[in-house]
Every structure is written in C-alpha cells, then in structure tokens.
Amino acid sequence: MARRLLGILAALSLAAGLGIATSAHAEKRVALVVGNNDYKNVPKLLKAVNDARTMGDTLKQLGFSVMVAENQNRQQFSETLLAFDRAIEPGDTAFFFYAGHGFEIAGQNYLLPTDVPAAAEGQEELVRDASILADRVVERLQNKKARTSILVFDACRNNPFERSGTRAVAGGGGLAPMTQLPEGVFSVFSAGPRQTALDRLSNDDANPNSVFTRTFARELLQPGENLVQVAQRTRRLVSEMAESVKHKQVPVYFDQMVDDVFLSGVAKDAAARPADPPQKVAALPPVSVPRVPKEETTNAPIASFSRHNGGWTVVFSFADPTLGISWRMAGNGDFRETGFMDTLDPRTRKRMPSPSIELPADAQAGTIEVRYVDQSGDMQGPFPIRFDPEAALIRDQRKILDMTATSWLSFREFNGLLVYYTHLVSYRCAIREVRIGIDTAVPNQVLKMPPCDIRDPSTITAGMPLYMKLAPSTQVVSVELTYRDGSVSEIKSFRTGNRSNN
C-alpha cells in the first residue's frame, strides 16, 4: 500500500512540475505507464507491474518524461489520468501503456482497476461503473490536443470474471478492436480480437515480462523504425513465439497517423544525412530541400514514369509555357525533339510540344537530359532527370495499388467459393509481402506472391497461383500489403457477398 501511495504521489508531483511548463517547452514527449497485478476480487496477475516498469525504462531511453503507476484502484487510476492530462500540452507526443486485466462489453474496452468487483451474469454495469473506458483515454488525449497519441494495451487476458460453478459476465477473452480512432492516434493490442496474450511460453520461461511486452519494448529501441514497422515486427515475432507453443496470439495495431513517426532515430534511408539536433517530439522524417543551382531557371521540368508492356512512358511537366522540348540520354548522341501535338497552347497560341517520350523495356538506369525553348525563344537547360527503372517501377505499381485498393481481391462461385488475387499478382513488383485474414480483421497468414521479373513485370505465366479456395461459410477476407520500401498499407476488408457466378 505504501509503495502504491508513493508511486501515485511521485506521478502527481512530476505532473505538477510539467503542468507549469511554459509554451517554450511545448512539443515534448510524455508517457503514462500503468501496471495492475494486485486485484482484490478477480484473479491476481504476475507480470503486469514488471511490464509497466520495463516500458517506463524503455520510454525514458526514448526521451519521454514518464509517469509510472502501479496497482491502481478506481480512484487512484482517475487521479493518475488527471495528472497525465495536466502534463500534456498542445503539440505533444503522448504515450499511454496499460498492463493488467481488460474486458470488452458490447464492443467497448474497459481497463480494470484493482478494486473492480467480482461481477456475475447480468451485472455488466458494475464493471462499467468501476472501470476505465479505453475510448475515454483517447478522447482525453484529443482534448489536450496532443499531436501524436500512442496507446498500447497488454490487457488481452482471459475473462477475469469466470468462476467455477457460476455464470460470468458476458464476454470472452481478449479485447475488441478499436477501429474508429481519430486522426493522429496509433494503438497496439498485445493480441488480436478475442485472442488471449501469453505471460510466458512455458513453466521454464523465467523472463519477468509478458511475451508481448518483452518483444515490443525491444523493438521500440530499434533505430530508424517507424511505429508501423515496430508494430509489424512485434506482431510477427510474438505470433511466431506463440505458435511455437501451439497458442494463437497475433498482436494487432490500428493506425490513424497522417505521417510516419519515429521514436528512435530517423528513417534508415535518412541515416546518411547530417544529424539533426536532439528532438523532444516524435519527429517526422527529415525533409531535404534541394538546392537549385543559380544558373537554373524555376521552370526545371519534373518527370513521371509508367511501365507498360511495350516499355516506358516518360511524361515531362513544366511550370511555364514551352515552344519545343528535346531530350537525350546523358552522353549518348544528339538531342531529339519530342514533336508536337495537334493542340494549340492557349498561352502561346502555338502548337503544344509533346510532353512525353518512350523508352524501351530494357532501358538501363541513367540520366535523361531535357531542354526546352521558352516563350521568348531562348533555349533553357539541359536539366538532368535521374531514371532508375526498378525504383520507377515500384513507385508506379505502388501508386496503382493505392488507387485500386477495391480491386485487390475478387470472389467467384465455381465448385465452391474462390478468392482471386490476380490484381495483386499483376503489380507484385511493388509488394514485399501480402498478409490475409480469413473471417478476421487481423491479416494473420502470408499469401505467397510469385517472384518479380523487372524486365517483364506484369506478365502472368501458366502455373502462377492466382486464387485460393475458401470455406463456403467465409464472410470476409482482410488484406494488408507490405510494400518494397517497408511501408504498410491500411488493412482492407472484402466481403465474400460481392461475388460472381460465372
């Protein structure tokens, strides 16, 4: 009891100190970690407090001001959340971690204080009134105008109200998915919907932390990984460990972030750039502003590349009117005119130069030099445009996949129920991995893609797998793509009711 009292007093003292910070100290990192072991009326836990302490130590290493609260009853939990509120200022990054019992009622998740009553069937209101609604924590962070809110719940355990010989409050193990999150919120659950999380892998597992927390805390410290990548790696590692003991535990995350957030270092592809000053917020990836040579005009062209069966189409874009466009591969012969279109440019009243060129399918990486005649008749350029076939192909296919997400899967009745993923195979060069979930919102199995042939990327050859059979009762299939650059798509759900019969 004395330890709990000292813990909450320390938390309140820290919050008071942070609460009087001036606006000059805005955009900081603040965290609250809560661990509840010592339950009075439901089964006690062994590792929740250790999990909170481990997460607290981890977040301190990442520059967070951390409040650690242990074994909180209802009143203490409320006071701790109030102290956390006072520590948050507009623009801050707020991190909330909870380890303990959690319970889902009618699709809403409740975090259970240590004095939650031992409710029985029909007494759901007792649990609601005595617990902390997880959605309310999200709402409080939004009200404080935190720029980034990260919520992590290692609370997906068995129904704490089950008793031998009695009927428990309605609800199974695990928590419900939080799919309706506001912008700027990222949440992670230690197990998927209706799954339970493991405290240990076996009786010989002496690790002081749960399987999820020991993994997640370690992954958070990996430099250059954004939140999605941390969650993905955690999910895979935890699910593999759980599978090794024949248990189903697939952590799930819900992402409503506008930008990538890096808690430990910057993006890996930015590592070569000069180091920025230490940041106190979950910084966006550094933005490099290209320096334009003084002799260049502001009408330097940009180019877009698209791959088709015959090769490459390159389209140049200019900010100002042009009277003619020519190009060549750097160091390779004379400049060639792009020709003209049968269209008048209303700005010049002259025929509009064709803005596109064609490159062969086997075009090698190199630099395209582009020059143009401006409205005054002067030649401008040449301007270098880098052509990297592999990178251009991946960007082009990624863009197509993003624009055609509703076509990733299709269903057909033919001697049963088939799900076709031909669309994904057609643009597989942009994809590192496809994961699907059958009748679950959590994509928990890998759908193997054929290898990518950069020379002929869209070809589908005989023998390539394009569909799989599903149980006739299947209602929904979820899909998540990991792209070649390591970024991850939103989870898309496809209902099998949208199917054809031919």
Side-chain angles (χ1 to χ4, degrees):
M1 186 66 182
R3 176 183 291 178
R4 293 199 299 272
L5 182 59
L6 288 173
I8 189 62
L9 287 175
L12 288 168
S13 175
L14 173 60
L18 292 171
I20 61 174
T22 66
S23 58
H25 296 90
E27 298 188 356
K28 59 186 180 299
R29 292 180 172 186
V30 292
L32 169 61
V33 297
V34 179
N36 284 346
N37 277 346
D38 193 17
Y39 285 91
K40 311 304 181 187
N41 305 306
V42 298
K44 296 180 185 294
L45 297 175
L46 297 176
K47 296 187 176 183
V49 168
N50 282 341
D51 290 341
R53 293 174 180 175
T54 294
M55 282 302 302
D57 292 341
T58 299
L59 294 172
K60 287 175 184 176
Q61 294 181 58
L62 295 172
F64 283 83
S65 296
V66 181
M67 303 163 58
V68 180
E70 301 174 3
N71 293 321
Q72 302 279 280
N73 62 30
R74 182 63 173 83
Q75 181 175 345
Q76 291 169 338
F77 210 150
S78 296
E79 291 173 349
T80 299
L81 287 171
L82 182 59
F84 190 41
D85 286 347
R86 292 171 178 163
I88 301 170
E89 295 176 311
D92 283 353
T93 295
F95 196 116
F96 175 79
F97 173 85
Y98 174 77
H101 278 309
F103 195 70
E104 176 258 325
I105 300 175
Q108 291 187 306
N109 296 320
Y110 293 85
L111 312 180
L112 306 189
T114 56
D115 57 351
V116 66
E121 182 184 21
Q123 296 181 323
E124 288 81 7
E125 291 304 323
L126 285 178
V127 180
R128 285 192 175 102
D129 292 344
S131 303
I132 303 294
L133 179 63
D135 286 340
R136 178 62 182 139
V137 178
V138 177
E139 183 181 340
R140 294 170 77 136
L141 298 179
Q142 290 290 292
N143 290 342
K144 298 299 292 186
K145 295 182 171 53
R147 178 184 180 184
T148 301
S149 299
I150 306 162
L151 299 98
V152 181
F153 303 97
D154 194 356
C156 308
R157 292 173 167 85
N158 292 323
N159 186 342
F161 301 105
E162 288 181 343
R163 295 290 187 278
S164 177
T166 66
R167 301 193 64 177
V169 173
L175 297 175
M178 294 176 73
T179 57
Q180 302 299 318
L181 293 174
E183 185 177 294
V185 179
F186 190 92
S187 69
V188 185
F189 289 76
S190 59
R194 311 299 180 265
Q195 295 176 359
T196 56
L198 293 172
D199 264 354
R200 57 185 180 177
L201 294 172
S202 69
N203 291 334
D204 298 325
D205 184 354
N207 194 295
N209 295 120
S210 72
V211 174
F212 169 81
T213 294
R214 71 180 74 165
T215 306
F216 184 69
R218 184 177 65 247
E219 292 303 318
L220 272 178
L221 295 174
Q222 295 299 317
E225 300 286 347
N226 63 35
L227 280 177
V228 170
Q229 292 167 325
V230 169
Q232 265 210 320
R233 284 181 54 81
T234 299
R235 180 174 66 182
R236 291 177 188 174
L237 293 170
V238 171
S239 62
E240 289 170 0
M241 286 190 287
E243 183 66 27
S244 71
V245 294
K246 309 302 181 185
H247 181 79
K248 190 71 170 180
Q249 179 182 347
V250 183
V252 62
Y253 64 91
F254 302 93
D255 178 13
Q256 289 298 325
M257 305 303 300
V258 176
D259 304 297
D260 284 344
V261 174
F262 298 84
L263 295 182
S264 180
V266 297
K268 288 181 177 177
D269 60 2
R273 288 195 286 268
D276 291 331
Q279 299 293 313
K280 292 188 177 181
V281 299
L284 303 180
V287 178
S288 59
V289 181
R291 296 183 177 181
V292 181
K294 292 181 179 180
E295 65 271 17
E296 291 188 3
T297 73
T298 58
N299 197 18
I302 59 176
S304 61
F305 302 87
S306 60
R307 185 70 160 81
H308 49 80
N309 290 338
W312 292 93
T313 296
V314 186
V315 179
F316 304 115
S317 298
F318 299 84
D320 298 326
T322 59
L323 300 180
I325 304 170
S326 57
W327 71 282
R328 70 178 180 183
M329 295 303 295
N332 187 14
D334 297 330
F335 281 89
R336 288 172 280 178
E337 301 289 334
T338 61
F340 293 87
M341 305 170 63
D342 292 329
T343 303
L344 289 180
D345 187 333
R347 299 170 296 178
T348 64
R349 303 304 300 166
K350 298 180 182 296
R351 289 180 67 187
M352 184 177 293
S354 173
S356 65
I357 63 172
E358 299 294 322
L359 296 177
D362 59 354
Q364 300 298 304
T367 299
I368 304 173
E369 293 182 333
V370 182
R371 64 185 187 181
Y372 69 93
V373 179
D374 65 18
Q375 198 167 2
S376 301
D378 296 327
M379 181 69 74
Q380 303 292 340
F383 300 93
I385 294 176
R386 179 65 183 168
F387 172 57
D388 182 335
E390 183 172 357
L393 173 65
I394 292 171
R395 280 196 302 269
D396 184 44
Q397 290 199 351
R398 162 73 183 270
K399 180 172 66 176
I400 293 171
L401 286 167
D402 286 342
M403 295 173 61
T404 59
T406 57
S407 302
W408 289 355
L409 299 184
S410 60
F411 300 94
R412 181 184 178 193
E413 292 277 8
F414 184 78
N415 294 331
L417 177 59
L418 306 178
V419 56
Y420 279 82
Y421 46 93
T422 313
H423 194 75
L424 298 178
V425 174
S426 298
Y427 301 103
R428 61 191 179 275
C429 289
I431 302 172
R432 178 184 297 175
E433 182 181 80
V434 179
R435 297 180 72 88
I436 65 171
I438 310 299
D439 278 335
T440 173
V442 183
N444 53 16
Q445 57 183 290
V446 175
L447 182 62
K448 189 173 182 180
M449 290 284 106
C452 164
D453 183 353
I454 296 295
R455 298 166 299 178
D456 198 2
S458 58
T459 296
I460 297 177
T461 60
M464 278 190 182
L466 302 175
Y467 67 88
M468 62 184 297
K469 288 188 175 182
L470 300 176
S473 60
T474 302
Q475 297 297 311
V476 66
V477 179
S478 59
V479 183
E480 180 185 68
L481 306 184
T482 299
Y483 295 108
R484 287 278 292 274
D485 63 2
S487 62
V488 183
S489 73
E490 293 182 2
I491 296 176
K492 306 291 185 182
S493 294
F494 298 82
R495 304 205 72 81
T496 61
N498 302 322
R499 64 184 78 169
S500 64
N501 295 307
N502 48 27

